[in-house]
Amino acid sequence: MPRLKESCKQDLKLRINIVDVVSRVATPKRAGGSRFKALCPFHQERTPSFHFDSDKGFYKCFGCGKSGDIFSFVQETEGLNFTEAIEALAQRFNVTLEYEEGGGGPSREERSLRQELFDLHEFATDHLHQAFKGGGDAAKWMRDYWTVNRRFPAELADEFKIGLADAQCSGLGAAVLRKKFSEAAIRQCGLFYLYDDALMTVQALKPRFRGRLMIPIRDHQGRVVAFTARQTALTPEDDKSREAKYVNSPETPIFTKGNLLFNLDRARAHAGEGNPFVMVEGQLDALRCWSVGLKTAIAPQGTSITEGQLLLLRRYHTELECFFDSDAAGQKAALRLLPLALKTGIEVRFLTLAGEGKLDPDLLFLDKGLAGYEEVKKNSFGGMQFMRRYVLPDARSATAERTHAAVREIYSVIAAADSELLRRRLLGEIAPALGALQVTPDVFERDFASFLAKGGRAAATGPGVTGPATGSGGGGESGPGERFEINGQGTPAPEDSAAPERDLLLLLLHSEILGGALAAACPHDWVDDRLPAGALLNRFLAEFSEGQWPGVNRLDTLLESEAERALVASLLFEKPQIDDWSKVGVEGLTRLRARALAPRLRQINILLAQAATDHSFDATALLKERSELQRRLRSPLALAPLA
Ligand code: ZN
């Protein structure tokens, strides 16, 4: 991951007004001073409770509680991660970003190479699309291929910038050289073959794509990063990949197959409650879906679906319908997807069409339009139903071996589920079907438990998975129900809005002048740093003791997570009517002190009560500790601005 220079974030915050960021998705109304309000983009409402402040650069919704800054706003409304949100903002507001040298991130050169590769792909997309629209026989042939053979609307070609690579790749090499892209970018873009020691000339640049229909591949931010090229009658005999139906760009610094889903950049805007993503096998299937109005279709890049792709998908929506060809390859792909979906928390259903014969989503939608979708939706299966149908042998043909193999396959899928609760549910769903194969539910469950104990779920356990960390060594005897636990040890205490940490944090943010005094008066071990507010309070107090407090408007460098940014934003937004912040501070400190010292005092009192009947016990030390504790608990606390 490229690491941005810390100063960039600050720079963006100074240059970009949150009002401009919010107004892309909501209409701001003035609410006095630097304050604005709008209808909340995060929840449904009729009167605006979404407030933001152009000076402070923070927002807070008093309806749903969402709060944060320009970065979290873009992250949440556009489904980007932090770095992507920064890049999107920088691009939108014309701010140049700087990256850290070394430290694992790309160097300045690598960074500009990436940018150049994006530019080169954008340029190539336009060039090849113009070739598709141009005069000449090849262009006319390809347009006919698009509209007559494939029966796609002409406008769809414009919308997705479908291109033509004729036998010479439509002169792309010469155009790229004229455009003065750097040699490094041309060598690494994947659009050409070029010998390592060859001079950079038009003759030396051998195009990878010849006589093919060009489909630009965009990442989830809508940037073209690669191409898929469909073989056609124009593909020349001497082409190296003549026989391949589809040729893809190789992986490059901007293109990793396993992290990309075709059409996700558009589909993500249409997916949501009741509108699941629909995974189809190929890009042209996805384009067919789009053209008939099924806007949530996506396609993997290449044949197999990866965990990375599903994690990307999950950022936007967790419901997925899988609509693959009804042939054996399609079913195999579906079965590979199922454990990944369970592992990543994607709810998957499989769409199939009743009746015989090979079904191809492209033909179905071409034939029936969106009605075809309604039809396959009626025949959809959940994951376990799908396994019952396609994995379990039917009772008549089942042999012990076949049943055993099928059951093992089911185990390995269920083992991928990310919670014990879900695994139980899945076992319950499939168990009845096993009855017909003479496998009773209790045998099935015991067998599954021993499968897990033997390491069958090793692949399924990842960070953040609840439940036991390792397979229970006890083996098949312990039922899954007994091993289920909701909270492990060391789980952070839940945020308590009444916690003194929160009050003291509020004080620091609204009365910085008391920060030094508070830092001097508050030992860090009084603070519960398992609370987000506590962790922040200790961090802030440390800055004050060091004399390094950056000031309320420059806190970014001190905030380490989204939760922290949100907490600070929400505290900054409170308008506490406080005359005497010192008093608030003293109260908070007093509560922290009592909470820190009281348990030991109670413990001492119990020990002393026991000691009263035991004359050999010397209570002197305990008595001394108790009076010291009592003295500390009584001693007055004070907070005054330090000179
Ligand atoms: Zn809201």
Side-chain angles (χ1 to χ4, degrees):
M1 275 302 273
R3 251 199 40 201
L4 286 158
K5 275 206 170 143
E6 205 50 51
S7 57
C8 288
K9 296 174 203 166
Q10 202 56 47
D11 198 34
L12 283 171
K13 273 207 151 174
L14 290 174
R15 293 218 221 162
I16 300 174
N17 191 330
I18 191 167
V19 180
D20 298 324
V21 177
V22 172
S23 33
R24 275 173 66 96
V25 288
T27 311
K29 293 193 183 80
R30 287 206 167 267
S34 56
R35 289 214 168 195
F36 292 80
K37 59 184 177 177
L39 289 175
C40 179
F42 303 109
H43 82 280
Q44 289 282 339
E45 61 176 5
R46 296 228 185 104
T47 51
S49 43
F50 181 82
H51 288 248
F52 50 107
D53 189 311
S54 66
D55 282 355
K56 291 188 176 133
F58 281 114
Y59 63 87
K60 159 123 181 143
C61 175
F62 292 92
C64 66
K66 289 257 184 202
S67 61
D69 57 15
I70 49 171
F71 304 124
S72 60
F73 187 84
V74 171
Q75 275 183 269
E76 294 224 18
T77 53
E78 298 175 40
L80 305 175
N81 71 27
F82 188 59
T83 307
E84 288 164 353
I86 290 189
E87 288 177 345
L89 281 167
Q91 196 180 26
R92 215 168 283 161
F93 293 91
N94 270 320
V95 180
T96 313
L97 290 177
E98 286 183 60
Y99 290 78
E100 300 281 5
E101 305 280 344
S107 67
R108 194 185 305 265
E109 291 74 27
E110 285 167 333
R111 171 65 203 165
S112 59
L113 174 66
R114 275 172 60 84
Q115 191 53 55
E116 221 190 334
L117 287 171
F118 286 127
D119 295 344
L120 199 157
H121 276 82
E122 203 60 54
F123 175 78
T125 303
D126 281 330
H127 181 88
L128 298 171
H129 181 55
Q130 287 315 315
F132 178 88
K133 311 251 297 173
D137 293 345
K140 184 173 182 315
W141 188 93
M142 197 59 94
R143 287 198 297 272
D144 281 349
Y145 172 77
W146 180 254
T147 50
V148 179
N149 293 47
R150 307 296 310 205
R151 295 164 64 193
F152 279 117
E155 309 79 62
L156 192 72
D158 288 337
E159 201 177 353
F160 285 81
K161 293 207 174 166
I162 297 302
L164 158 72
D166 68 13
Q168 283 74 45
C169 200
S170 305
L172 182 64
V176 160
L177 286 175
R178 270 201 306 279
K179 195 77 186 158
K180 301 240 183 302
F181 283 103
S182 73
E183 181 166 341
I186 295 173
R187 281 188 185 277
Q188 291 186 47
C189 68
L191 303 177
F192 309 100
Y193 299 109
L194 180 71
Y195 291 110
D196 279 347
D197 51 356
L199 283 177
M200 191 63 67
T201 62
V202 177
Q203 291 73 31
L205 279 184
K206 303 278 181 239
R208 179 182 297 268
F209 307 112
R210 298 172 65 209
R212 288 172 183 265
L213 178 83
M214 301 296 288
I215 306 165
I217 307 298
R218 294 179 171 83
D219 67 8
H220 63 288
Q221 298 191 59
R223 301 176 294 201
V224 177
V225 294
F227 290 91
T228 287
R230 175 70 166 86
Q231 174 203 66
T232 66
L234 298 184
T235 312
E237 288 300 328
D238 65 346
D239 189 68
K240 281 185 193 165
S241 343
R242 170 82 185 89
E243 297 311 315
K245 214 157 138 192
Y246 290 94
V247 174
N248 294 308
S249 292
E251 299 211 335
T252 67
I254 59 169
F255 174 51
T256 312
K257 272 192 287 187
N259 288 335
L260 194 134
L261 286 163
F262 179 75
N263 202 41
L264 182 59
D265 58 315
R266 294 168 196 250
R268 67 185 169 98
H270 300 272
E273 214 44 54
N275 289 309
F277 283 113
V278 178
M279 179 93 75
V280 290
E281 275 181 62
Q283 292 98 355
L284 289 175
D285 296 325
L287 289 177
R288 175 72 64 208
C289 293
W290 182 271
S291 74
V292 300
L294 179 52
K295 303 281 186 187
T296 55
I298 48 175
Q301 190 60 31
T303 45
S304 62
I305 291 158
T306 68
E307 192 179 335
Q309 289 168 332
L310 295 187
L311 288 172
L312 184 61
L313 197 66
R314 198 180 62 178
R315 289 195 202 167
Y316 305 104
H317 192 56
T318 54
E319 288 172 286
L320 175 67
E321 288 171 344
C322 180
F323 189 16
F324 289 167
D325 292 359
S326 62
D327 58 9
Q331 280 168 29
K332 235 184 190 157
L335 282 174
R336 271 199 308 266
L337 180 134
L338 187 53
L340 290 175
L342 289 170
K343 187 176 172 186
T344 50
I346 298 272
E347 271 175 67
V348 67
R349 292 191 69 78
F350 296 90
L351 304 183
T352 60
L353 196 67
E356 297 297 305
K358 178 172 152 34
L359 170 74
D360 174 337
D362 186 41
L363 288 175
L364 174 77
F365 291 133
L366 186 55
D367 198 28
K368 302 192 170 161
L370 207 51
Y373 177 56
E374 298 308 324
E375 203 171 308
V376 287
K377 235 177 144 66
K378 272 187 232 141
N379 270 292
S380 70
F381 297 101
M384 288 304 108
Q385 284 170 296
F386 188 81
M387 298 217 70
R388 278 161 73 162
R389 197 176 158 107
Y390 293 106
V391 176
L392 285 183
D394 72 67
R396 272 164 304 166
S397 65
T399 60
E401 289 74 28
R402 288 193 59 192
T403 303
H404 182 71
V407 168
R408 300 285 301 181
E409 185 163 358
I410 291 171
Y411 288 159
S412 67
V413 168
I414 295 180
D418 66 353
S419 80
E420 190 64 44
L421 214 55
L422 180 56
R423 285 196 285 276
R424 301 280 298 167
R425 210 188 77 204
L426 298 173
L427 285 172
E429 276 179 36
I430 196 106
L434 293 161
L437 302 169
Q438 320 301 326
V439 184
T440 59
D442 60 317
V443 168
F444 181 57
E445 271 195 27
R446 259 209 314 278
D447 202 24
F448 179 63
S450 93
F451 174 85
L452 290 186
K454 285 176 193 149
R457 58 181 285 215
T461 319
V465 173
T466 50
T470 49
S472 61
E477 293 311 310
S478 58
E482 294 157 35
R483 291 184 285 119
F484 182 60
E485 59 179 288
I486 291 169
N487 262 327
Q489 291 287 309
T491 310
E495 183 64 281
D496 174 5
S497 62
E501 280 85 353
R502 195 177 184 284
D503 291 350
L504 293 175
L505 210 48
L506 192 68
L507 172 147
L508 287 183
L509 294 174
H510 290 271
S511 180
E512 295 171 280
I513 192 166
L514 290 173
L518 186 62
C522 181
H524 70 92
D525 56 0
W526 286 4
V527 175
D528 182 353
D529 58 13
R530 292 172 308 164
L531 298 170
L536 270 181
L537 180 62
N538 267 346
R539 204 177 307 145
F540 286 3
L541 290 177
E543 297 294 312
F544 278 109
S545 348
E546 303 284 322
Q548 298 290 322
W549 177 246
V552 166
N553 293 322
R554 302 182 63 92
L555 287 179
D556 271 355
T557 49
L558 296 179
L559 304 179
E560 290 172 2
S561 67
E562 271 321 298
E564 291 183 357
R565 271 185 279 277
L567 176 61
V568 166
S570 118
L571 291 173
L572 278 173
F573 251 102
E574 284 186 24
K575 269 213 223 146
Q577 301 295 318
I578 306 280
D579 298 325
D580 188 353
W581 279 105
S582 305
K583 209 170 133 205
V584 173
V586 168
E587 281 166 7
L589 275 174
T590 309
R591 284 166 64 206
L592 284 185
R593 182 175 66 181
R595 200 183 62 192
L597 304 184
R600 178 61 185 160
L601 191 62
R602 272 199 301 277
Q603 195 182 23
I604 291 174
N605 283 334
I606 292 167
L607 289 171
L608 286 173
Q610 288 165 353
T613 55
D614 178 357
H615 297 289
S616 63
F617 186 82
D618 181 2
T620 320
L622 280 180
L623 286 166
K624 197 172 159 212
E625 191 185 342
R626 180 168 72 173
S627 67
E628 171 62 18
L629 276 174
Q630 286 167 334
R631 191 192 60 75
R632 287 181 69 192
L633 278 166
R634 273 197 311 266
S635 71
L637 287 160
L639 271 191
L642 297 181

